[in-house]
Amino acid sequence: MATTVTHRRAATRRARRPAPGPPGLVPALTRLAIWAGAAAVLALWWRHTASVVGAAGWLTGAGRITGLLAGYACAVLLLLMARVPLLDRHVGSDRLARWHAMGGRYTVSLALAHTLLIIWGYALTSHTGVVDQTTTLVLHYPDLLKGTAGFLLLLATGVLSARAVRRRVSYETWHLLHLATYLAVFLVFGHQLSNGADFVGDRPAQLAWYALYGSVAALLLWFRFAVPVRRALRHRLRVLEVRPEAPGVVSVYVTGDRLEELSAEPGQFFRWRFLAPGLWRAANPYSLSAAAHPSYLRITVKAAGDHSAALARLAPGTRVLAEGPYGAFTARRRRAPKVLLLGGGVGITPLRALFETLPGDVTLIYRARRPEDLALRAELDHLAAARRAVVHYVVDEPAVYSSPLTPDALRRLVPDLAEREVYLCGPPGMTEAAKRALRGAGVPRHRVHHESFAF
């Protein structure tokens, strides 16, 4: 059997081109709002600072600025992960996660700088040693003991989120430890208002800070907790069937009540929590591998860890909690009349749903290690024949059938590549190589859409 297969059909002329999706206004406004808030925080320091004199004054002033920015950044970090539908659909979960990760590094750095600068500045002012000044601050200033505990928790979370450490722990462990961020922010909040020179005696500033954190807390409680609980009670999701698709790959069919009300779009994902032993502790992101059906939802999962491997053993009737749908990897991003879907491994799952539903001229390239690893191949062949589309299967083994991920190789498969919108999903190494190849083939960066679920 050939391991590189191509189905070639003319694109159907009856397919309608989708209406253009919304422009990138929401991401731009979100970034603008974040920077405007940072400017307002700096203005607060400026309003309370008449002058800065001497080394102690400069150190203390820098400590106040970094402390204010760290406190503001904590609220922004929580907001980015509050799963607000407006942000999720128009900014994208992967972009929000990248902003959150980058902001986390800045926040920990600012908090660390604040701590060191304040201690040093106060020590110079009081003519004491750094150790004595640290002891005085922690033990005798109101709420600073709790603030210190919150800072240490924040620092530990930052260390655990570093790439070198993150790769060594499971998603479930990392997710559980990451919840310590909430406790850290709670502990630090009181310290900001009790000890912050820019808040003491300034009631409007205090009210603004309460409003900022109160709004973020309300969004978190609503979208992270209340909405999932309400949906769980309304839709009563449960496992319908588990079906093998390829070695180590299974599809899980989930049924429930009023599924059409979820309004899930092809390309989106849910965070799934299966109420079975060993699985209920964490909600893992898996995208839909078929367009949502009124009677069921389907995900297709490769055994890449303990959690995903255990899904093959799910019993029908197992209760399921699903948060979502999330993600902007949908037809809303499409602008060009021609589309290329480029997937690798189990990254085929959201692309399979898009291949089923995207109208017009659509080409699919599916890369895998071996022919038997081509999950959902029969379905893709059927869809290709039904919609008269183009599918290329590319495998690495045996080597005689492999195709490098280079601009020339992609152009040989898709001659009009530079004219196409590209949806890309696969393992990190493959997606980075694909991005470089697509840029080399003349595809503009803004027409390459990629959403990662490695949070």
Side-chain angles (χ1 to χ4, degrees), residues 63-371:
R64 286 168 52 197
I65 291 174
T66 52
L68 285 168
L69 289 174
Y72 169 70
C74 283
V76 172
L77 289 180
L78 296 180
L79 176 62
L80 293 176
M81 290 290 101
R83 299 173 190 168
V84 179
L86 176 66
L87 296 179
D88 192 84
R89 287 179 179 269
H90 296 289
V91 178
S93 297
D94 64 328
R95 188 186 296 181
L96 291 172
R98 288 196 301 271
W99 290 358
H100 175 82
M102 179 179 64
R105 291 189 287 270
Y106 284 126
T107 302
V108 172
S109 299
L110 287 167
L112 183 60
H114 164 70
T115 302
L116 297 177
L117 289 168
I118 285 293
I119 292 173
W120 192 4
Y122 278 30
L124 289 179
T125 301
S126 59
H127 304 288
T128 59
V130 170
V131 175
D132 290 339
Q133 188 60 54
T134 301
T135 303
T136 300
L137 287 172
V138 172
L139 297 181
H140 299 289
Y141 277 59
D143 291 322
L144 200 52
L145 187 60
K146 291 190 295 183
T148 302
F151 165 69
L152 293 176
L153 273 176
L154 193 66
L155 187 62
T157 304
V159 171
L160 290 170
S161 298
R163 290 183 180 180
V165 180
R166 173 70 182 88
R167 287 193 294 264
R168 298 176 182 272
V169 298
S170 67
Y171 172 85
E172 293 78 19
T173 301
W174 173 84
H175 184 269
L176 184 62
L177 294 173
H178 216 63
L179 294 178
T181 305
Y182 295 114
L183 178 59
V185 173
F186 173 76
L187 291 172
V188 169
F189 179 76
H191 149 66
Q192 296 176 69
L193 295 180
S194 298
N195 305 124
D198 301 290
F199 293 109
V200 176
D202 189 336
R203 192 61 177 168
Q206 294 175 5
L207 292 176
W209 213 246
Y210 274 115
L212 172 64
Y213 274 82
S215 300
V216 171
L219 291 172
L220 281 168
L221 289 172
W222 180 252
F223 289 113
R224 295 291 298 266
F225 299 101
V227 170
V229 169
R230 185 186 64 176
R231 287 181 173 173
L233 295 174
R234 182 166 181 79
H235 299 295
R236 300 176 59 83
L237 299 179
R238 54 200 178 275
V239 174
L240 178 65
E241 179 187 2
V242 178
R243 183 179 300 174
E245 300 287 2
V249 179
V250 298
S251 286
V252 180
Y253 290 78
V254 176
T255 188
D257 304 331
R258 306 179 184 91
L259 296 184
E260 68 280 356
E261 295 180 6
L262 293 172
S263 302
E265 299 179 43
Q268 291 189 307
F269 68 96
F270 288 78
R271 287 181 171 88
W272 304 87
R273 190 186 302 271
F274 296 92
L275 304 186
L279 297 177
W280 61 269
R281 293 184 182 86
N284 285 38
Y286 299 117
S287 43
L288 297 177
S289 60
H293 189 276
S295 301
Y296 64 85
L297 304 173
R298 188 185 77 174
I299 59 174
T300 301
V301 182
K302 181 178 181 179
D306 294 340
H307 186 280
S308 53
L311 298 188
R313 302 187 295 271
L314 282 172
T318 300
R319 294 298 300 271
V320 183
L321 303 180
E323 301 174 38
Y326 298 122
F329 194 66
T330 68
R332 295 172 184 265
R333 288 190 174 184
R334 181 177 180 178
R335 300 290 185 274
K338 297 180 180 180
V339 173
L340 169 64
L341 306 177
L342 177 54
V346 79
I348 192 63
T349 53
L351 300 182
R352 187 266 179 231
L354 288 168
F355 191 51
E356 177 184 357
T357 55
L358 276 177
D361 187 339
V362 179
T363 295
L364 170 66
I365 299 177
Y366 182 11
R367 304 179 63 91
R369 182 166 170 263
R370 303 168 300 174

